[in-house]
Amino acid sequence: GDSHPIYLADDAMTNVYNNFIANCTNAGIRSNGTSATIAYNTVYGCHVGFSGTSQVSGGSTAFLDQAFLVNNVFDSNTHAGVDLHISSCTEHGANNAFNNGVDRLIGCASGNPDCPSGCPLLSPGTSVDPIFVTAGDYPLDVTSPLSGNADTALIFVPYDIDGTPRVPDDSEPGCYELP
Protein backbone atom coordinates (compact mmCIF):
# COMPACT_ATOMS: atom_id res chain seq x y z
CA GLY A 1 0.00 0.00 0.00
CA ASP A 2 0.94 3.64 0.37
CA SER A 3 1.98 3.51 4.01
CA HIS A 4 5.33 5.23 3.26
CA PRO A 5 5.62 6.19 -0.43
CA ILE A 6 9.35 6.88 0.06
CA TYR A 7 11.07 4.69 2.64
CA LEU A 8 14.80 4.98 3.30
CA ALA A 9 16.23 2.11 5.30
CA ASP A 10 19.97 1.79 4.80
CA ASP A 11 23.07 3.55 6.06
CA ALA A 12 24.10 5.08 2.74
CA MET A 13 23.98 8.82 2.09
CA THR A 14 20.75 9.36 0.18
CA ASN A 15 19.34 12.33 -1.73
CA VAL A 16 15.56 12.68 -2.11
CA TYR A 17 14.70 15.54 -4.50
CA ASN A 18 11.68 16.72 -6.50
CA ASN A 19 8.94 14.42 -5.29
CA PHE A 20 5.23 15.08 -5.01
CA ILE A 21 3.48 12.87 -2.47
CA ALA A 22 -0.21 13.17 -1.58
CA ASN A 23 -2.82 11.53 0.58
CA CYS A 24 -0.79 8.71 2.09
CA THR A 25 -1.79 6.93 5.28
CA ASN A 26 1.47 7.41 7.18
CA ALA A 27 4.63 9.43 6.43
CA GLY A 28 5.15 10.72 2.92
CA ILE A 29 8.90 10.33 3.35
CA ARG A 30 10.24 8.01 6.05
CA SER A 31 13.89 7.65 7.01
CA ASN A 32 14.90 4.90 9.39
CA GLY A 33 18.43 5.57 10.61
CA THR A 34 19.80 6.94 7.34
CA SER A 35 21.81 10.01 6.44
CA ALA A 36 19.69 11.80 3.89
CA THR A 37 19.26 15.14 2.17
CA ILE A 38 15.55 15.77 1.63
CA ALA A 39 15.10 18.78 -0.68
CA TYR A 40 12.52 20.38 -2.98
CA ASN A 41 9.70 17.96 -2.14
CA THR A 42 5.99 18.70 -1.71
CA VAL A 43 4.12 16.44 0.73
CA TYR A 44 0.38 17.04 1.01
CA GLY A 45 -2.39 15.37 2.98
CA CYS A 46 -0.46 12.54 4.63
CA HIS A 47 -0.39 11.69 8.32
CA VAL A 48 3.16 13.15 8.57
CA GLY A 49 5.16 14.88 5.85
CA PHE A 50 8.58 13.55 6.88
CA SER A 51 9.30 11.08 9.66
CA GLY A 52 12.80 10.31 10.81
CA THR A 53 13.55 7.96 13.62
CA SER A 54 16.26 5.89 15.18
CA GLN A 55 17.19 2.49 13.89
CA VAL A 56 17.54 -0.15 16.58
CA SER A 57 19.88 -3.01 15.71
CA GLY A 58 21.35 -5.56 18.09
CA GLY A 59 20.36 -3.54 21.13
CA SER A 60 22.06 -0.33 19.94
CA THR A 61 20.35 2.74 18.58
CA ALA A 62 21.61 4.84 15.67
CA PHE A 63 19.82 8.18 15.77
CA LEU A 64 18.91 10.14 12.68
CA ASP A 65 21.38 12.95 13.35
CA GLN A 66 22.57 13.47 9.79
CA ALA A 67 19.30 14.10 7.97
CA PHE A 68 19.02 17.51 6.38
CA LEU A 69 15.70 18.93 5.15
CA VAL A 70 15.69 22.04 2.99
CA ASN A 71 13.31 23.86 0.62
CA ASN A 72 10.40 21.45 1.16
CA VAL A 73 6.68 22.21 1.38
CA PHE A 74 4.71 20.21 3.99
CA ASP A 75 1.00 21.08 3.72
CA SER A 76 -2.22 19.69 5.21
CA ASN A 77 -0.55 16.71 6.88
CA THR A 78 -2.87 15.75 9.72
CA HIS A 79 -0.35 14.97 12.47
CA ALA A 80 2.75 17.03 11.69
CA GLY A 81 4.87 18.39 8.88
CA VAL A 82 7.99 16.77 10.32
CA ASP A 83 8.32 14.21 13.10
CA LEU A 84 11.95 13.68 14.13
CA HIS A 85 13.25 11.42 16.85
CA ILE A 86 16.86 12.39 17.30
CA SER A 87 19.57 12.42 19.92
CA SER A 88 20.77 16.02 19.76
CA CYS A 89 19.39 19.51 19.37
CA THR A 90 21.50 20.46 16.38
CA GLU A 91 20.27 22.05 13.16
CA HIS A 92 18.65 19.54 10.83
CA GLY A 93 17.35 21.78 8.09
CA ALA A 94 16.28 25.18 6.97
CA ASN A 95 13.87 27.06 4.75
CA ASN A 96 10.98 24.58 4.83
CA ALA A 97 7.35 25.70 4.63
CA PHE A 98 4.73 24.26 6.98
CA ASN A 99 0.92 24.36 7.00
CA ASN A 100 -0.29 21.28 8.88
CA GLY A 101 -2.91 19.98 11.30
CA VAL A 102 -1.03 20.12 14.61
CA ASP A 103 2.63 21.04 14.83
CA ARG A 104 5.19 21.78 12.22
CA LEU A 105 7.77 19.75 14.13
CA ILE A 106 7.36 17.22 16.89
CA GLY A 107 9.48 14.68 18.67
CA CYS A 108 12.96 14.28 20.06
CA ALA A 109 14.80 11.35 21.54
CA SER A 110 12.94 10.22 24.63
CA GLY A 111 14.47 11.60 27.82
CA ASN A 112 17.04 13.81 26.07
CA PRO A 113 17.43 16.89 28.34
CA ASP A 114 19.10 18.83 25.50
CA CYS A 115 16.09 18.47 23.23
CA PRO A 116 13.10 20.06 24.95
CA SER A 117 9.78 20.66 23.27
CA GLY A 118 10.10 23.50 20.79
CA CYS A 119 13.78 22.93 20.03
CA PRO A 120 14.56 24.88 16.81
CA LEU A 121 15.67 21.84 14.80
CA LEU A 122 14.28 23.13 11.52
CA SER A 123 14.75 26.86 11.82
CA PRO A 124 14.37 29.04 10.00
CA GLY A 125 11.12 27.76 8.63
CA THR A 126 7.90 29.37 7.51
CA SER A 127 4.44 28.58 8.85
CA VAL A 128 2.29 29.72 5.96
CA ASP A 129 -0.40 28.57 3.55
CA PRO A 130 1.66 27.88 0.41
CA ILE A 131 -1.30 28.79 -1.90
CA PHE A 132 -1.42 26.12 -4.59
CA VAL A 133 -2.88 26.72 -8.06
CA THR A 134 -6.16 24.95 -7.17
CA ALA A 135 -7.32 22.09 -4.98
CA GLY A 136 -5.88 18.98 -6.59
CA ASP A 137 -3.26 20.96 -8.56
CA TYR A 138 -0.19 21.45 -6.40
CA PRO A 139 2.25 23.78 -8.13
CA LEU A 140 2.49 27.05 -6.21
CA ASP A 141 0.27 29.86 -7.42
CA VAL A 142 1.99 33.06 -8.62
CA THR A 143 0.50 34.78 -5.54
CA SER A 144 2.17 32.30 -3.15
CA PRO A 145 4.24 33.84 -0.34
CA LEU A 146 6.82 31.14 -1.17
CA SER A 147 7.45 32.49 -4.67
CA GLY A 148 11.20 33.03 -5.07
CA ASN A 149 11.74 31.88 -1.48
CA ALA A 150 14.01 28.81 -1.88
CA ASP A 151 17.41 29.17 -0.25
CA THR A 152 19.60 28.09 -3.16
CA ALA A 153 22.78 28.80 -1.16
CA LEU A 154 21.95 25.75 1.00
CA ILE A 155 21.30 23.37 -1.88
CA PHE A 156 20.34 23.88 -5.48
CA VAL A 157 18.57 21.33 -7.67
CA PRO A 158 18.68 22.67 -11.26
CA TYR A 159 15.34 21.23 -12.48
CA ASP A 160 11.92 20.66 -10.93
CA ILE A 161 9.82 17.49 -11.07
CA ASP A 162 8.58 18.38 -14.60
CA GLY A 163 12.04 19.27 -15.93
CA THR A 164 11.48 23.03 -15.71
CA PRO A 165 14.80 24.80 -15.01
CA ARG A 166 15.06 26.44 -11.60
CA VAL A 167 16.37 29.99 -11.44
CA PRO A 168 19.34 30.05 -9.01
CA ASP A 169 18.40 33.25 -7.15
CA ASP A 170 14.62 33.15 -7.70
CA SER A 171 13.56 29.55 -7.09
CA GLU A 172 10.61 28.10 -5.16
CA PRO A 173 10.63 25.46 -2.41
CA GLY A 174 8.71 22.28 -3.15
CA CYS A 175 8.83 20.08 -6.23
CA TYR A 176 7.41 22.60 -8.74
CA GLU A 177 9.11 25.73 -10.08
CA LEU A 178 6.90 28.61 -11.14
CA PRO A 179 7.00 29.12 -14.91
Side-chain angles (χ1 to χ4, degrees):
D2 68 351
S3 182
H4 303 292
I6 296 177
Y7 187 88
L8 310 171
D10 61 32
D11 292 330
M13 180 60 94
T14 305
N15 297 322
V16 178
Y17 302 151
N18 285 336
N19 293 282
F20 174 72
I21 300 163
N23 304 317
C24 57
T25 58
N26 211 318
I29 303 170
R30 168 87 172 167
S31 182
N32 195 20
T34 62
S35 299
T37 299
I38 312 296
Y40 293 97
N41 298 286
T42 301
V43 183
Y44 178 88
C46 293
H47 181 65
V48 175
F50 173 83
S51 178
T53 192
S54 60
Q55 181 175 9
V56 178
S57 175
S60 63
T61 302
F63 287 100
L64 184 72
D65 286 340
Q66 297 176 32
F68 187 68
L69 286 80
V70 63
N71 294 328
N72 297 287
V73 176
F74 300 104
D75 185 59
S76 299
N77 298 292
T78 57
H79 182 61
V82 175
D83 184 0
L84 288 178
H85 296 272
I86 56 176
S87 64
S88 65
C89 201
T90 57
E91 190 74 38
H92 286 275
N95 206 53
N96 296 285
F98 301 93
N99 185 35
N100 301 285
V102 181
D103 300 306
R104 69 180 198 162
L105 171 69
I106 62 168
C108 284
S110 179
N112 181 353
D114 297 324
C115 199
S117 177
C119 182
L121 298 168
L122 288 167
S123 297
T126 304
S127 293
V128 64
D129 181 349
I131 307 178
F132 296 116
V133 172
T134 61
D137 190 7
Y138 298 100
L140 297 174
D141 189 82
V142 295
T143 63
S144 172
L146 301 177
S147 176
N149 198 33
D151 189 338
T152 56
L154 295 171
I155 190 167
F156 182 68
V157 176
Y159 296 94
D160 77 357
I161 192 171
D162 291 334
T164 303
R166 293 187 187 272
V167 180
D169 293 325
D170 191 31
S171 188
E172 284 71 45
C175 64
Y176 295 103
E177 181 74 3
L178 284 172

